[in-house]
Amino acid sequence: MTDSYAALYRRSIDDPDGFWTEQARRIDWEHPFDQVCDTSRPPFARWFVGGRTNLCHNAVDRHAATRPGDTALIWVSSEVGQERVYTFSELKDEVEVMAAMLAGQGVRAGDRVLIYLPMIPEAAFAMLACARLGAIHSVVFGGFASHALANRIDDAEPVLVVSADAGSRNGRVVPYKPLLDEAIRLAAHKPAKVLMIDRGLSAFERVADRDLDHAALRERLWGARVSCEWLPSDAISYTLYTSGTTGRPKGVQRDVGGYAVALATSMAQIYDGRAGETFFSTSDIGWVVGHSYIVYGPLIAGMATLMYEGTPVSPDAAVWWRLVEQYRVTVMFSAPTAVRVLKKQDPACLTRHDLSSLRALFLAGEPLDEPTARWIADAIGKPVIDNYWQTETGWPILTLARGVEPAQPKFGSPGVPMPGYRVQLLDERTGAVLEAPHQKGLLAIAYPLPPGCMQTVWRDDERFVRTYWSSVPGQQVYSTFDWALRDEDGYYFILGRSDDVINVAGHRLGTREIEECIAGHPAVAEVAVVGVADALKGQVAMAFAVLKDPARAATPQEALVLEGEILKRVDQQLGAVARPSRVRFVQLLPKTRSGKLLRRAIQAVCEQRDPGDLITLDDPAALQQIRELVSGAG
Ligand code: AMP
């Protein structure tokens, strides 16, 4: 700890070239870069131009060469009762054999590989194998069902899919293969090959000439050597789909060199993770946290990463803390919802194990409420650090840099801007930068975004510019779509989204995607989906539907049957993760006179808040009916 946070941050803003040149030394370059950041085409930015590197080399090979016997990957499944430990040398062998399988099927640099897998080590091997070859991976969260998966297949156009027979959730087998087969049937693009990992959980049928047997190929190719493809720093490493305000998810596209440097920097300065130690992130590889802080970040830093399949409460609520003790975890990363789940369990579970190795617990992905933060901090007796970021940024925008100085957390605030982020609060109407403390504004980041952040929307530069960079005409500022304020000490407080994105248990969902799915039910004429505050999950989705024929839900029993049908449709098409908590039937939806749906007013009524100025509301009866339904009168 040689520097204070303030000095470090100032330097990253005042002398970005000097700052990032120093940080870039944290990774290996096959060829050095000759320009730190190319800003000739705003809002696009190219980092470490001219440099050549490889994510897999930095995450695996360089450690395998110097510390082959050190632990790299620990996999624990409380679902199937298995644990496996891989050294860096063993991880390299696994990644190489996976790379040989992909290369053998003709996968080359720039090709897309879609990964639809549960939390098994092969998911990390597949991601790293793609990185090794320069293929672009696109991981789709296992909780998404066939329709959502088909959309992503059509957008990414993968040459190959890596999948498995099944995952497991709460001891229940969740088959993946039928969902994948259905998705490929629905998709216009047909991947040539599917590499199937058979966990022996769920019998499945192979599609001739398409489905490949992972175990047989692994055996045949074991020991194969596949060297790392040295890639231009701004080559594409991966795309990851995230929800926005339209029904069509965006492929967040990231580079190679900027991402590697940003992750290495964050591991040292933010997480204070050190080579030889163990990092435990409870997220899933289907989310950005899984990419940055299960797979790439800890490994780039030379740490062992603990990958966990299961819930926080099985076999009991002590399971994570047993792992902290057993594997001497020093840095842990989870989400507020997981902590709220633990809060309902026997508190003795948190003190049963020796947590002396643990230095801090980081929580991210959704707002961290003060009671939850206090409870877990007291229960484990460790600093609890909130961190605020997005799929788009790939690493924290706001938090406390634990590797630099142990700053005091403030409850309710994720903290202060991280190096390279020129964070601003903008007046909603004028776009002016709000300088005085305690003013609510749109949280924005001035151009250029630091390394590691999204390069563009996959195959849609225009959408990237229009979506993120158009909130203040004439200015190059990136909008996060979150409201925030800053106090007199420079700490930020996040006040919620400014768009129709909702956050359920840390999972980001677009209400429009759910609406489109429900509107496809033959009985539904129109639907509105809103996010409603929930004590456990932060928010839950709630749907209000107008039926083509109201007689379909004339009695409570009929309404329940129809609601069940609609929920099943969401489960089957998008996945249970997107399932609304309720579907209520109404005569009409609250709209403006010009026909715009007033989602915010519906949300306010559901949360028993004042819906505010309703001057534009066309028919007050619409809101009144929703009020009666949610208050139980309807
Ligand atoms: P995702 O891209 O899924 O990580 O979701 C990003 C969004 O989640 C942000 O734009 C915020 O709305 C919310 N979010 C993430 N982390 C935090 C946090 N620490 N505090 C408050 N909101 C958060």
Side-chain angles (χ1 to χ4, degrees):
M1 280 187 214
T2 53
D3 234 339
S4 74
Y5 156 75
L8 196 76
Y9 179 70
R10 268 281 39 99
R11 177 129 192 277
S12 77
I13 300 301
D14 295 344
D15 175 21
D17 282 10
F19 178 84
W20 289 113
T21 299
E22 252 168 47
Q23 302 309 321
R25 292 190 195 119
R26 296 181 187 276
I27 67 157
D28 285 358
W29 296 87
E30 185 249 354
H31 188 274
F33 51 91
D34 36 51
Q35 187 183 8
V36 174
C37 185
D38 171 8
T39 53
S40 61
R41 201 167 66 95
F44 301 92
R46 292 163 65 222
W47 284 90
F48 308 113
V49 184
R52 295 172 75 80
T53 185
N54 181 288
L55 277 165
C56 185
H57 167 86
N58 281 290
V60 181
D61 293 50
R62 63 173 178 157
H63 306 302
T66 51
R67 308 157 36 227
D70 282 9
T71 304
L73 178 70
I74 301 157
W75 175 67
V76 177
S77 172
S78 61
E79 293 288 331
V80 296
Q82 288 176 15
E83 303 198 11
R84 279 191 244 159
V85 177
Y86 300 84
T87 63
F88 275 102
S89 167
E90 289 164 341
L91 176 60
K92 181 167 175 285
D93 288 343
E94 294 287 355
V95 171
E96 277 194 272
V97 76
M98 187 72 91
M101 292 181 218
L102 301 182
Q105 297 305 317
V107 174
R108 301 280 175 269
D111 287 344
R112 274 82 56 214
V113 172
L114 190 135
I115 299 173
Y116 183 60
L117 284 174
M119 286 291 284
I120 53 176
E122 288 77 6
F125 305 157
M127 290 166 73
L128 290 161
C130 288
R132 191 170 193 87
L133 297 171
I136 300 166
H137 60 67
S138 192
V139 182
V140 177
F141 177 57
F144 283 125
S146 43
H147 202 81
L149 183 54
N151 279 340
R152 288 152 176 81
I153 290 174
D154 274 338
D155 197 70
E157 299 192 321
V159 295
L160 184 144
V161 176
V162 187
S163 193
D165 56 338
S168 177
R169 185 95 193 136
N170 281 323
R172 200 171 51 87
V173 170
V174 183
Y176 277 38
K177 182 66 162 52
L179 298 178
L180 175 64
D181 286 344
E182 173 65 4
I184 294 177
R185 195 188 64 76
L186 290 170
H189 172 85
K190 309 289 179 198
K193 298 287 172 191
V194 174
L195 181 59
M196 280 301 300
I197 296 159
D198 187 357
R199 307 178 71 189
L201 295 179
S202 171
F204 62 91
E205 280 182 25
R206 272 175 218 292
V207 174
D209 299 327
R210 189 196 76 183
D211 294 355
L212 305 164
D213 180 355
H214 167 266
L217 280 175
R218 181 177 178 275
E219 197 177 314
R220 175 140 60 82
L221 295 168
W222 185 252
R225 299 276 73 109
V226 180
S227 54
C228 287
E229 185 84 20
W230 296 110
L231 301 163
S233 177
D234 69 342
I236 306 166
S237 59
Y238 68 78
T239 64
L240 179 60
Y241 288 89
T242 192
S243 302
T245 43
T246 70
R248 200 162 56 91
K250 292 183 285 274
V252 167
Q253 176 184 313
R254 231 182 282 293
D255 71 352
V256 174
Y259 189 48
V261 172
L263 291 183
T265 304
S266 69
M267 288 304 299
Q269 294 180 351
I270 299 175
Y271 298 104
D272 187 23
R274 306 168 198 166
E277 298 180 346
T278 305
F279 192 99
F280 176 20
S281 165
T282 69
S283 183
D284 187 286
I285 47 129
W287 307 116
V288 69
V289 179
H291 286 62
S292 293
Y293 299 114
I294 293 177
V295 179
Y296 292 114
L299 293 174
I300 286 173
M303 298 181 80
T305 183
L306 201 161
M307 194 173 171
Y308 176 76
E309 181 185 46
T311 72
V313 291
S314 70
D316 60 38
V319 59
W320 285 357
W321 315 104
R322 169 180 78 76
L323 296 175
V324 170
E325 174 177 340
Q326 185 178 344
Y327 294 106
R328 307 298 297 157
V329 172
T330 56
V331 188
M332 192 164 162
F333 191 128
S334 192
T337 293
V339 175
R340 288 191 290 263
V341 168
L342 290 176
K343 217 167 148 185
K344 295 186 162 178
Q345 307 289 320
D346 178 4
C349 289
L350 280 100
T351 47
R352 201 182 292 161
H353 293 280
D354 170 16
L355 306 183
S356 58
S357 60
L358 192 66
R359 284 197 293 273
L361 169 66
F362 290 83
L363 298 175
E366 55 179 313
L368 175 59
D369 56 287
E370 181 166 345
T372 301
R374 274 191 197 283
W375 177 81
I376 189 70
D378 290 347
I380 62 172
K382 305 285 174 181
V384 170
I385 312 293
D386 191 359
N387 55 143
Y388 163 84
W389 47 297
Q390 307 181 301
T391 305
E392 288 85 345
T393 66
W395 62 287
I397 304 169
L398 300 170
T399 185
L400 298 175
R402 290 280 306 168
V404 179
E405 64 182 11
Q408 237 359 74
K410 276 195 193 191
F411 285 109
S413 164
V416 294
M418 287 300 100
Y421 286 101
R422 298 160 202 267
V423 176
Q424 298 179 338
L425 290 177
L426 305 179
D427 183 291
E428 183 194 4
R429 275 155 313 172
T430 64
V433 177
L434 301 171
E435 302 286 0
H438 298 289
Q439 286 180 282
K440 178 178 169 182
L442 196 61
L443 190 73
I445 305 164
Y447 179 78
L449 295 176
C453 294
M454 77 188 292
Q455 294 177 295
T456 186
V457 173
W458 165 251
R459 283 181 170 164
D460 203 343
D461 285 352
E462 199 270 322
R463 190 172 180 196
F464 174 63
V465 177
R466 177 169 34 89
T467 305
Y468 297 104
W469 298 89
S470 307
S471 46
V472 190
Q475 277 185 47
Q476 294 295 349
V477 284
Y478 167 91
S479 173
T480 62
F481 298 100
D482 282 304
W483 298 114
L485 60 79
R486 184 179 53 237
D487 72 6
E488 50 289 334
D489 300 324
Y491 282 64
Y492 284 77
F493 293 78
I494 306 295
L495 306 172
R497 295 282 299 195
S498 66
D499 60 7
D500 295 327
V501 165
I502 62 171
N503 197 318
V504 180
H507 301 331
R508 175 164 155 186
L509 300 169
T511 49
R512 289 287 290 278
E513 217 177 336
I514 307 173
E515 282 172 3
E516 280 177 22
C517 173
I518 295 177
H521 187 285
V524 174
E526 212 183 357
V527 62
V529 172
V530 297
V532 178
D534 180 82
L536 182 67
K537 297 180 174 178
Q539 278 186 311
V540 290
M542 183 96 82
F544 295 92
V546 177
L547 295 175
K548 288 177 186 157
D549 174 9
R552 278 290 311 264
T555 67
Q557 282 75 14
E558 283 169 334
L560 266 182
V561 170
L562 189 55
E563 180 178 14
E565 261 180 40
I566 293 173
L567 293 175
K568 194 164 160 216
R569 182 181 171 87
V570 177
D571 278 4
Q572 284 172 345
Q573 293 203 348
L574 300 179
V577 66
R579 183 197 305 151
S581 64
R582 292 293 316 258
V583 183
R584 312 300 298 258
F585 302 111
V586 292
Q587 262 98 45
L588 74 170
L589 291 169
K591 290 187 182 172
T592 62
R593 263 164 234 127
S594 58
K596 200 170 166 301
L597 197 55
L598 288 166
R599 288 194 188 77
R600 284 196 192 285
I602 304 177
Q603 183 188 41
V605 165
C606 290
E607 293 179 349
Q608 270 134 38
R609 285 187 289 110
D610 175 8
D613 183 4
L614 291 174
I615 200 149
T616 54
L617 179 63
D618 189 30
D619 186 346
L623 216 48
Q624 186 52 31
Q625 194 190 2
I626 292 177
R627 193 173 281 122
E628 283 163 14
L629 277 174
V630 295
S631 68

